[in-house]
Amino acid sequence: MHGAVVTAEPARVSTSQASEKPLLRFITCGSVDDGKSTLIGRLLYDADLAPDDLIAALETDSRKHGTQGDDLDFALLVDGLAAEREQGITIDVAYRYFATDKRKFIVADTPGHEQYTRNMAVGASTADLAILLVDARKGILPQTRRHSVITSMFGVRHVVVAVNKMDLVGYSEDVFRKIESDFRAFAGNLRFASIYVLPLVAKDGDNLVHGGATNMPWHDGPPLLSYLESVAVEDTTRIAPFRMPVQWVNRPNLDFRGFSGFISGGNIRPGDIVRILPAGRDTRISRVVTYDGDLDSAVSGQSVTVTLAEEIDCSRGDMLSSPVSPAKVGDRLEAKLLWLVREPLKVGASYLLKIGTKLTPASVSAVDSRIEIETGLAAPVAQGETLAFNEIGEAKLSLETVVACDPYVENRETGGFILIDRITNETVAVGMVKTVASSSGRVAPALAELSYASMEGVAPVREATTVSGRIARSLSFALVAGVATFAIAFAFVKDASLAGQIAMAETFALAAIHYLHERAWSRLRGSEGASSLDEAGL
């Protein structure tokens, strides 16, 4: 029997069962006909992870749609659309869920055709690792490079370069080493954390599940499945600052008002202080609610409803954020863009930008550079040029309203966005935030800089007083006191000269004492310009 682990949808398991094994999300990508679907199908077959009914259907489909003669066409295990089977290509992203004794996997089989690059980008957006297929006969192709750049752009840091169809080059080690050298030289600018290159023959199963292929004794690395089971992938979302874009205001009755959303980073528990962005108001979490009851805490990856200790204006598109490390707020973005449609990008045209749960009108104000596929490096664009179909570049965007977001390198969930055509409603670009800024006057400083201490009833610290300002205050105080001293001294001694000398000495003494007092007290307060007496109103 070929098991029953692979399903069309993920099975529902208990929390304890789900935490037993680590999860790895990976994609297969590369150029056309490099063997992506065949690799996944053969991997599932050899690992005994394909149900018997799928194997029976595969045998029937191979006779009808197969491209391997009398042999099984393993690509048909994942290519399920009628158009895919008729043409022998992958069009849409096909997800498969399976598990071994060591790990759980979600694989996205993505298309290699240039016109379906947008579908490949969808698969890469949630992946931890990419298997990049290379045809040993053709080497590194432009689409191979494009997919490499896109995976790097989407934050995928682990890559397996699977040099497929080694049987068609006589299992030549020289051919393999040349492809490995070419890719490593190209990928030097793409910031991959690990690159594993292995030779294989997907249709025969060489180096997929079992290592030590007799035709390639010169390769002593682990087979593909063993590597996938052991590769260390970092999950930084749970230790990241708390982020939860508000998806829905949950108001079932007069007595309950909660805010529902997907936790995109960090963790939360009742009593924690959060900041509502972009408003900048701090409040406390009262409850963490789910359908099964209240939780003591919730972590990244969970969808929950939270209630707040105060009645505060908060709606869809806002974000609940850590007050210690809050998300950035602004209406000017610098971002990387992948242009997805045939019509070139138009600078100044109005699009809809969707980031998290926020939807706002936006326009591209400038295109600064374009990523050269041959090198993976950014190059300046000529005057009047923008981005064409499937091109990647760096651009500046202007938004009509402020949004709360993070740089993509810090949080993939809150730093990624799409641009939508306002007329056709078509997704025209996908983007990753690099920096966030605010245009003049769009965000009130007093609101954006609300201190963590303000939740405890401590007034926010005033802006720092300059040294010249402190000196002016000291002199004005001393001069008024000096005039009063002169009048009092003259009344007693009846000598204007002596009274003037007394008043002048006191003026300089009071000015110096007042200045030093203000400076010492402001430092003790932790702010260069705020006096404790002033704050208390004395």
Side-chain angles (χ1 to χ4, degrees), residues 259-320:
F259 304 95
S260 304
F262 177 81
I263 300 179
S264 303
N267 57 80
I268 197 68
R269 56 176 48 87
D272 285 355
I273 298 176
V274 295
R275 180 166 297 175
I276 300 174
L277 297 175
R281 178 73 183 274
D282 291 354
T283 186
R284 289 187 184 273
I285 297 293
S286 179
R287 298 168 58 192
V288 179
V289 184
T290 68
Y291 179 80
D292 298 318
D294 287 16
L295 300 179
D296 294 330
S297 64
V299 299
S300 175
Q302 288 183 274
S303 294
V304 298
T305 297
V306 299
T307 62
L308 305 179
E310 303 171 79
E311 292 294 333
I312 297 177
D313 181 22
C314 182
S315 59
R316 176 180 171 85
D318 291 345
M319 180 188 292
L320 302 184

Side-chain angles (χ1 to χ4, degrees), residues 125-126 237 245 262-265 355-356 408 411-417:
S125 64
T126 58
T237 57
F262 177 81
I263 300 179
S264 303
I355 183 165
Y408 190 80
N411 193 310
R412 294 170 73 176
E413 295 286 343
T414 59
F417 64 88

